[in-house]
């Protein structure tokens, strides 16, 4: 039975749906084998179709994300739709350069020769997205995968169902499903998808599921990129511009109601300036969202009841210095500052992923760096200071995916900075040219001249070892 758009998404029984997924994968393999995606002109035409579809569906995407977690249109444009549009624009402008084989330097050992690195698509790629930036984190990798010439199976998160439906509609009205397809569904569907063989898997989500993805990929030796999470610190030294630090930390933390993988998870501030910083953070919350943030059109809600209950429970420990109000009916949690927290409290045991900001202190920078290094390598780190020596020490001594000095989150806005984690926060990176690179195999090829064929490498070697050794040491 042929796969139709609807049949692929409403999967009746596990056996049945597994067979349908297999068919879909086979159709995508056949499409890739046709060689159509190897033509850069084809890729650009498809990226333009995606660009037009996003513009056409902009309002539907705003509505979907508002329905899922009351995400303000400004934030949806800045961090989802507009973000992907910028990625598309850059890719369309640069693709011809990126696909050109790159000539590399020769070695005299191969004289006469020329060497090139050719970028080729992997083939069939699976992209699995999370719910927190449900459009961006699925479609930004899609841009890179298509630019590199792959066929793509997309799996949006079921936890943002309106956005999942809006993406499915957008993709199905734009692409032949043998080229780009969407499969909606929850854990079971993702597991069925992971049972198939792909040439590349790009996963964004939690470290726990990342492990399951990597295990499934290992079955077929499929390479993976894992964009995971973790507890990203905002470190504030006593010599920082505290007012600016407070404003930029509050913005990065409460954007998307704290449901951002690179949000500052907690503040680690030098103890003598803690009270000043807490007061300034509380002032920023009032300035951003008013006296009652529940009334603000600019503050999102928690994605579902499970996450709401998990976050609400964090408020049992520590001292609330601002916020703390909750409303289960609307899944509202006020922007909250939590003081007197220890590393043993539940809020410090896992990634918070909500609008609760614990404030911890340190005495010396060495101590602060040791604390961060004693935990999983974070996806992001933010350091606020006016001292060049301190900035250099943090950059040298602490391992983290990426981050900012004297700001939060904004490193994602520069497409020239590869974005990704390290250790527990992931592997591989993307954005801008890195998105093209991550979905491309680097095929290294030597073109050897035919007019000369020195016999020195061929047996019998006789007494050539000494000459060879001298040549190697001279090189
Ligand atoms: P998640 O890991 O629960 O889900 C991600 C995807 O995996 C979803 O599509 C889901 O359907 C699927 N999934 C869930 N459980 C599964 C299982 N047992 N087997 C197979 N598939 C399964 O993540 P989430 O809750 O959607 O997103 C939040 C997490 O993602 C946080 O940890 C956050 O830090 C991380 N994140 C990372 C980045 C990044 O760029 N590094 C960006 C956003 C979110």
């Amino acid at each position: 039975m042929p796969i139709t758009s609807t049949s692929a998404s409403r999967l009746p029984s596990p056996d049945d749906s597994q067979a349908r997924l297999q068919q879909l994968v086979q159709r995508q393999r056949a499409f890739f084998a046709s060689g159509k995606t190897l033509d850069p002109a084809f890729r650009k035409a498809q990226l333009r179709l995606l660009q037009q579809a996003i513009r056409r569906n902009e309002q539907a995407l705003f509505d979907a994300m508002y329905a899922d977690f009351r995400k303000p249109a400004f934030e949806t444009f800045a961090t989802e739709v507009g973000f992907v549009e910028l990625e598309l624009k850059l890719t369309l402008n640069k693709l011809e350069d990126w696909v050109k084989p790159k000539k590399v330097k020769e070695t005299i050992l191969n004289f006469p020769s020329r060497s090139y690195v050719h970028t080729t698509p992997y083939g069939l790629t699976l992209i699995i997205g999370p719910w927190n930036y449900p459009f961006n984190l699925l479609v930004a990798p899609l841009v890179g995968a298509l630019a590199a010439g792959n066929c793509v199976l997309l799996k949006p998160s079921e936890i943002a169902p309106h956005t999942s439906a809006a993406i499915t509609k957008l993709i199905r009205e734009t692409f032949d499903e043998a080229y780009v397809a969407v499969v909606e569904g929850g854990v079971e569907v993702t597991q069925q998808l992971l049972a198939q063989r792909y040439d590349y898997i790009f996963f964004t989500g939690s470290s726990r599921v990342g492990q399951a993805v990597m295990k499934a990929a290992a079955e077929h030796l499929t390479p993976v990129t894992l964009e995971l999470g973790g507890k990203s610190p905002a470190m504030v030294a006593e010599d920082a511009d505290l007012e600016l630090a407070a404003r930029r930390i509050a913005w990065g933390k409460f954007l998307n109601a704290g449901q951002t993988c690179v949000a500052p998870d907690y503040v680690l501030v030098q103890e003598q300036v803690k009270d000043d910083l807490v007061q300034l953070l509380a002032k920023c919350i009032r300035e951003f969202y008013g006296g009652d943030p529940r009334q603000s059109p600019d503050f999102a809600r928690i994605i579902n009841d499970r996450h709401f209950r998990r976050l609400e429970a964090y408020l049992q420990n520590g001292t609330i210095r601002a916020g703390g109000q909750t409303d289960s009916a609307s899944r509202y949690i006020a922007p909250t500052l939590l003081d007197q927290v220890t590393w043993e409290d539940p809020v410090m045991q896992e990634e918070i992923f909500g609008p609760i900001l614990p404030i911890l202190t340190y005495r010396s920078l060495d101590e602060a760096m040791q604390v961060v290094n004693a935990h999983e390598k974070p996806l992001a780190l933010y350091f606020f200071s006016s001292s060049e020596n301190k900035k250099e020490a943090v950059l040298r001594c602490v391992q983290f995916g990426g981050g900012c000095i004297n700001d939060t989150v904004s490193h994602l806005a520069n497409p020239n900075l590869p974005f990704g984690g390290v250790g527990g926060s992931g592997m591989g990176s993307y954005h801008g040219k890195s998105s093209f690179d991550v979905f491309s195999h680097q095929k290294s090829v030597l073109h050897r001249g035919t007019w000369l064929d020195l016999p020195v490498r061929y047996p019998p070697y006789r007494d050539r070892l000494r000459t060879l050794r001298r040549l190697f040491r001279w090189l």
Side-chain angles (χ1 to χ4, degrees), residues 234 236 246 249-250 253-254 264-271 273-282 285 317-322 336-343 345 347-348 352 356-362:
V236 184
I249 291 171
K253 177 71 185 186
F254 301 117
D265 186 273
Y266 62 98
V267 166
L268 199 52
V269 54
Q270 206 154 6
E271 61 183 4
V273 293
K274 181 187 97 175
D275 284 328
D276 290 348
L277 184 73
V278 170
Q279 277 167 28
L280 288 164
L281 281 165
I285 293 172
N317 302 90
T319 307
I320 292 169
R321 297 283 299 269
T336 298
L337 304 177
L338 205 56
D339 198 358
Q340 308 297 331
V341 171
T342 71
W343 278 95
D345 293 332
V347 74
M348 293 308 290
I352 297 171
I356 300 171
L357 185 61
I359 316 283
L360 290 93
T361 57
Y362 69 87

Side-chain angles (χ1 to χ4, degrees), residues 145-189:
L146 298 186
N150 298 279
C151 291
V152 183
L153 248 169
L154 292 165
K155 160 63 183 69
S157 171
E158 72 285 9
I159 293 182
H162 295 90
T163 315
S164 176
I167 292 171
T168 303
K169 175 181 166 292
L170 183 156
I171 294 294
R172 286 184 182 160
E173 71 189 25
T174 309
F175 297 110
D176 177 348
E177 116 178 316
Y179 174 47
V180 184
V182 186
V183 177
E184 289 189 278
V187 173
E188 202 181 312
V189 168

Side-chain angles (χ1 to χ4, degrees), residues 422-436:
V422 57
S425 56
M427 59 187 72
S429 48
Y430 72 124
H431 285 179
K433 170 132 187 325
S434 305
S435 296
F436 173 81

Side-chain angles (χ1 to χ4, degrees), residues 72-316:
F74 180 90
E75 289 188 9
T76 300
F77 186 79
T79 65
E80 310 254 12
V81 178
F83 183 96
V84 172
E85 281 192 24
L86 286 176
E87 286 279 307
L88 270 164
K89 196 170 164 200
L90 176 81
T91 306
L92 281 164
N93 283 340
K94 299 281 184 185
L95 189 62
E96 264 139 37
D97 272 354
W98 294 348
V99 295
K100 278 187 197 141
K102 304 283 175 301
K103 194 167 185 329
V104 297
K105 232 178 120 184
E106 280 318 320
T107 162
I108 195 151
L109 292 173
N110 287 331
F111 183 79
S113 68
R114 284 169 292 117
S115 294
Y116 295 89
V117 178
H118 300 254
T119 50
T120 58
Y122 280 104
L124 174 51
T125 65
L126 172 66
I127 301 177
I128 303 176
W131 56 263
N132 65 324
Y133 286 84
F135 179 75
N136 177 338
L137 298 173
L138 200 69
V139 183
L142 172 68
V143 173
L146 298 186
N150 298 279
C151 291
V152 183
L153 248 169
L154 292 165
K155 160 63 183 69
S157 171
E158 72 285 9
I159 293 182
H162 295 90
T163 315
S164 176
I167 292 171
T168 303
K169 175 181 166 292
L170 183 156
I171 294 294
R172 286 184 182 160
E173 71 189 25
T174 309
F175 297 110
D176 177 348
E177 116 178 316
Y179 174 47
V180 184
V182 186
V183 177
E184 289 189 278
V187 173
E188 202 181 312
V189 168
T190 320
Q191 284 166 346
Q192 287 175 357
L193 275 169
L194 286 168
Q196 305 296 320
R197 182 178 190 143
Y198 305 93
D199 302 299
Y200 205 91
I201 299 178
F202 188 102
F203 170 81
T204 306
S206 61
S207 303
R208 181 183 60 80
V209 180
Q211 280 183 338
V213 169
M214 203 167 169
K215 272 190 197 148
E219 195 61 36
H220 302 292
L221 289 180
T222 303
V224 291
T225 290
L226 301 178
E227 298 284 339
L228 311 176
K231 288 185 88 62
S232 301
M235 297 166 64
V236 184
E238 43 97 22
D239 55 20
D241 179 336
L242 290 184
E243 216 171 306
L244 199 66
R247 201 177 315 131
R248 292 179 177 177
I249 291 171
W251 169 74
K253 177 71 185 186
F254 301 117
L255 176 81
N256 220 34
Q259 302 165 112
T260 302
C261 55
V262 288
D265 186 273
Y266 62 98
V267 166
L268 199 52
V269 54
Q270 206 154 6
E271 61 183 4
Q272 56 269 46
V273 293
K274 181 187 97 175
D275 284 328
D276 290 348
L277 184 73
V278 170
Q279 277 167 28
L280 288 164
L281 281 165
K283 182 167 155 250
C284 289
I285 293 172
R286 279 193 304 279
E287 283 170 5
F288 290 176
Y289 306 111
D292 180 10
R294 195 183 322 228
Q295 310 301 331
S296 166
D298 300 328
F299 186 65
R301 295 299 184 261
I302 305 306
I303 187 75
N304 62 19
D305 292 338
R306 182 171 68 83
H307 282 289
F308 175 83
R309 285 193 298 274
R310 177 181 64 81
L311 289 162
E312 201 181 33
Y314 291 153
L315 302 174
Q316 304 300 314

